[in-house]
Amino acid sequence: MEIKGKSVFKGIAIGKIEIYNKGNKTVVRRSIEDSAAEVERFEQAKQEAGTQLAALYEKALKEVGEVNAAIFEVHQMMLEDQDFIDAIIGIIENQKVNAEYAVAQTGDNFAEMFAAMDDDYMRARSADIKDISERLVGILCGVGADGIRSEEPIILLADDLAPSETVQLDKSKVLSFVTRHGSANSHTAILARTMNIPALVSADYPDDAEGKTAIVDGYEGILIIDPPVSVLEEYTSRLNKDLEEKALLQELKGKENVTADGRKINLYANIGGVSDVASVLANDASGIGLFRSEFLYLGTDDYPTEEQQFLAYRNVAETMAGKKVIIRTLDIGADKQVDYFNLGNEDNPAMGYRAIRICLDRPEIFKTQLRAIYRASYYGNLAIMFPMIISMSEVKRIKEIVEEVKASLREEEIPFKEIELGVMIETPAAVMISEELAKEVDFFSIGTNDLTQYTLAIDRQNAKLDSFYDSHHPAILKMLKMVVDNGHKGGCWVGICGELGADLTLTEEFVNMGFDELSVSPSMVLRVRDKIRKIGAK
Amino acid sequence: MKEFAYTIKDELGIHARPAGLFVKEAAKFPCNVTIAKDGKAVDAKRILGVMGLGVKCGQEIVIAADGDQEEEAIATLSKFLEENL
């Protein structure tokens, strides 16, 4: 059976299908009558969790060796820890509540104990406790710990995936994404590009696809369920060819981003979380041009603390070891909603209460993030950029707040570095005042996705409009040129961090326009480098 | 009751994996075994408690065994610490 979809990343994936289970894992406290039966449910879940961990350990032992697999053995021991078990059974029996609640509560308590320790290593262990309690809760609710039930990598089918859901997915288990909804610019699509895996959107797959063997063809935009042997063989050989090509690109590692006629450009990578840094380094990007900070806010129930943010930023700064890391401040709102922000419903959220507007309106949230970034600046080469800017007064207000934050750090004798401040150019207003903005900041980074949607008046979430959405529209290209020229006039360096930066058909034009930097998905770095190195070749 | 003191030499301290191995060793004996740092003692057969002590390199711990096979327990654990931590 062949299903047509819209491809958002080229490539081929072959594997078993798993349909994403939205299963509600929110733990609710329920009173129960029969606590003995509830304890028995817990014991059953514990046994199942032990079996899962033993299987994980065996698998890891084969794939990554004994030292790295040991963590699953430790998880098994934590699971059998008598203090942990006593606490759970105690809560079930004394409070007469359900096992899910008792496990979640106990997990939180132990995780907090570790989180409060004065040792980075031990603090990180709170994630292990959470991992175990979430595994147990997942088993009790009948949902896999990370939404993916299979222990093998699978082709993941879903109606749609929210950003907070993709954040929590165990990405090492996903060969390909296929969603019924979502447009070419949805978060699932962006995630697939970051991960360098084929993905389809707008593909109306049948509900009974679960567990079947399938092929995702990201070149043709099709999903083939239960393919005949001949088709499977043909695709297997194409997949192998793709892997060979990837290996070729690896040869470009360590080479300079310089055109054949000697023009240099910085090639950075876009990331959405600490775990993406590995692929930045693996793909040899010379820095991080867009570090989306939303992951700290999504997938949690409350505002991340200064300390949590500081540890994340410092981790990335240190791992990148002196290479530039540009952190974009909070860009929540629009299609990225977080419950605890209580943003309320809006008729037109893309043009609504989001990004820098929230930060300037709720300066306490903003200051917490800025303090965390400045504290982390001491440990590497950080820069900050601010999203959704439309006016000079915003930039001036931001700079005042930055000064307040720096003054308070000085007063507390907390070390920090003076770092570059830049603005995202993603509104037509910012383009038109770029000459003035350039005098206030150190760099510009053009967010082409939003700039295109605002300039063309096309909602990027609306799949129906994809045929009208022209990312090469002359209006956009003229704006890019204008921003580069105005930026340079005011002493700013200018880059692109939107999806367009990775458009290989425009790479030469970007170099000609005079861009100083392109920031692209880690998986695109070497392809863009290949393109750059061929420009001007005779 | 038998006890002995030991100063941790591993630069990572008692991190998760050695804590797990230590707990496994301790669990082989029927007697009660405790591990203490700065006077705070926890059950040496429970990994979360042992890890919760947060023992770092250069810190001293006291292992105490009380009951059946206490001498064997002390001998085995002392050997384990010498070899691993």
Side-chain angles (χ1 to χ4, degrees), chain A residues 221-381:
Chain A
I222 47 174
L223 167 72
I224 308 170
I225 299 177
D226 278 338
V229 177
S230 60
V231 175
L232 193 59
E233 278 172 359
E234 183 204 325
Y235 273 100
T236 306
S237 84
R238 280 180 61 189
L239 176 62
N240 289 335
K241 220 177 266 171
D242 274 9
L243 294 174
E244 273 170 35
E245 195 207 358
K246 256 186 214 166
L248 265 185
L249 283 174
Q250 291 297 311
E251 283 179 20
L252 288 162
K253 282 173 78 166
K255 302 262 167 65
E256 263 193 303
N257 304 306
V258 59
T259 61
D261 52 9
R263 289 172 288 169
K264 282 187 191 169
I265 185 164
N266 278 323
L267 195 47
Y268 293 167
N270 299 340
I271 65 167
V274 176
S275 59
D276 295 337
V277 176
S279 69
V280 172
L281 296 172
N283 288 289
D284 199 28
S286 35
I288 292 171
L290 167 61
F291 181 8
R292 302 182 182 93
S293 57
E294 292 77 61
F295 77 97
L296 289 161
Y297 298 82
L298 299 167
T300 80
D301 301 326
D302 202 355
Y303 297 100
T305 63
E306 179 184 318
E307 196 65 21
Q308 285 166 341
Q309 297 193 50
F310 163 68
L311 291 174
Y313 302 145
R314 188 183 77 179
N315 186 338
V316 174
E318 286 181 337
T319 312
M320 290 300 290
K323 290 181 178 167
K324 178 150 290 189
V325 177
I326 303 172
I327 299 173
R328 180 181 67 189
T329 59
L330 180 62
D331 189 8
I332 224 107
D335 55 329
K336 284 170 281 192
Q337 287 291 333
V338 181
D339 291 345
Y340 57 85
F341 271 79
N342 290 318
L343 297 179
N345 280 326
E346 290 183 82
D347 287 340
N348 196 354
M351 297 198 179
Y353 189 55
R354 58 176 288 201
I356 201 69
R357 298 167 184 179
I358 296 175
C359 290
L360 292 176
D361 194 46
R362 302 183 185 178
E364 291 318 309
I365 297 174
F366 194 36
K367 280 185 188 170
T368 302
Q369 180 169 36
L370 290 172
R371 268 182 68 97
I373 297 173
Y374 268 97
R375 282 175 57 195
S377 70
Y378 183 72
Y379 299 89
N381 182 6

Side-chain angles (χ1 to χ4, degrees), chain A residues 455-468:
Chain A
T455 304
L456 304 183
I458 283 184
D459 177 359
R460 61 190 255 223
Q461 298 295 321
N462 187 340
K464 268 191 217 155
L465 298 176
D466 276 358
S467 63
F468 294 93

Side-chain angles (χ1 to χ4, degrees), chain A residues 407-479:
Chain A
S408 75
L409 289 174
R410 265 185 220 109
E411 207 168 287
E412 295 164 47
E413 295 184 355
I414 296 174
F416 64 90
K417 288 185 193 162
E418 289 297 339
I419 58 181
E420 283 190 339
L421 301 180
V423 291
M424 296 271 300
I425 303 287
E426 51 189 337
T427 62
V431 173
M432 298 312 288
I433 61 167
S434 50
E435 190 172 351
E436 290 76 23
L437 287 171
K439 293 171 192 150
E440 292 291 327
V441 296
D442 302 307
F443 66 93
F444 288 159
S445 188
I446 305 179
T448 49
N449 302 17
D450 271 329
L451 183 60
T452 310
Q453 86 161 342
Y454 294 133
T455 304
L456 304 183
I458 283 184
D459 177 359
R460 61 190 255 223
Q461 298 295 321
N462 187 340
K464 268 191 217 155
L465 298 176
D466 276 358
S467 63
F468 294 93
Y469 184 97
D470 174 12
S471 56
H472 294 196
H473 195 290
I476 304 300
L477 299 179
K478 275 189 186 174
M479 283 177 151

Side-chain angles (χ1 to χ4, degrees), chain A residues 134-192:
Chain A
E134 278 174 17
R135 183 177 296 278
L136 283 167
V137 169
I139 292 166
L140 286 163
C141 315
V143 182
D146 49 16
I148 295 177
R149 302 173 295 279
S150 166
E151 298 296 347
E152 296 294 323
I154 42 87
I155 294 173
L156 192 68
L157 270 49
D159 272 341
D160 203 356
L161 289 166
S164 62
E165 287 168 328
T166 56
V167 166
Q168 287 164 3
L169 278 180
D170 177 357
K171 296 169 194 71
S172 65
K173 282 193 202 158
V174 183
L175 298 169
S176 170
F177 291 108
V178 177
T179 63
R180 281 198 176 126
H181 309 298
S183 76
N185 285 302
S186 67
H187 286 276
T188 309
I190 291 171
L191 180 69

